[in-house]
Amino acid sequence: MAAIALWAEARLVRPWNDVSADFRRAILGTTSSILGVKDADELIGTVMVGHDGHRGWVYYLAVSSIRQRQGIGSRLMGAAEEWLHEKGAVKAQLMVRNQNTSVTQFYEQIGYENSDVRVMSKWL
Ligand SMILES: CC(C)(COP(=O)(O)OP(=O)(O)OC[C@H]1O[C@@H](n2cnc3c(N)ncnc32)[C@H](O)[C@@H]1OP(=O)(O)O)[C@@H](O)C(=O)NCCC(=O)NCCS
């Protein structure tokens, strides 16, 4: 599937995540979606959005490597924010893996700032 291939190319896929299940859940859910940008028939960018009833979350933002630095990532984030705002979210949040240092400048450029929180998690 094109979206999953894009996530893999962008190194967003981890062995412990079932990406096909992530895709299906986001598409079928009433509080989530996956937005995409196409050039002709080719998918060149995606972002997953979800509203948890309190905050809006963004996942799987990826732009095809040969199409980066052309404003596509910013446009996708703008569309994600619009989607979340329409669902009633007042704040958009996202998680960046500690190793993914290069992306910080991108998020700062579009108005995101570091949150003074630690994310804790548990597999269910
Ligand atoms: C992060 C990502 C989606 C950005 O998409 P993009 O289409 O290249 O971003 P834009 O062209 O809209 O960039 C907007 C601005 O952000 C900044 N920026 C973007 N990528 C940057 C980089 N690698 N290094 C420094 N600044 C960067 C620049 O200021 C840029 O403006 P400029 O090109 O005029 O200088 C893309 O690099 C990507 O797919 N990365 C791999 C996947 C990933 O890490 N996703 C995020 C997971 S949290």
Side-chain angles (χ1 to χ4, degrees), residues 33-111:
S33 191
I34 296 176
L35 314 179
V37 177
K38 274 184 163 183
D39 185 2
D41 267 349
E42 192 191 354
L43 186 70
I44 55 170
T46 69
V47 64
M48 181 189 287
V49 278
H51 185 7
D52 66 11
H54 179 55
R55 295 262 165 87
W57 285 90
V58 174
Y59 300 93
Y60 287 113
L61 173 71
V63 172
S64 167
S65 56
I66 56 163
R67 299 300 301 267
Q68 290 179 9
R69 303 299 287 261
Q70 296 174 15
I72 297 165
S74 307
R75 278 174 46 211
L76 274 167
M77 284 300 291
E81 289 163 11
E82 210 174 295
W83 190 97
L84 290 169
H85 185 67
E86 279 170 13
K87 298 279 178 204
V90 296
K91 194 175 190 181
Q93 302 196 153
L94 53 94
M95 291 180 278
V96 179
R97 290 197 176 96
N98 285 331
Q99 309 96 296
N100 196 357
T101 48
S102 62
V103 85
T104 308
Q105 222 173 319
F106 165 75
Y107 285 123
E108 284 175 351
Q109 185 68 24
I110 59 168

Side-chain angles (χ1 to χ4, degrees), residues 3 8 13 15 19 22 28 43 68 75 77-78 89 91 102 112 117 119:
V13 174
V19 277
D22 288 351
L28 297 175
L43 186 70
Q68 290 179 9
R75 278 174 46 211
M77 284 300 291
K91 194 175 190 181
S102 62
Y112 285 72
V117 294
V119 176

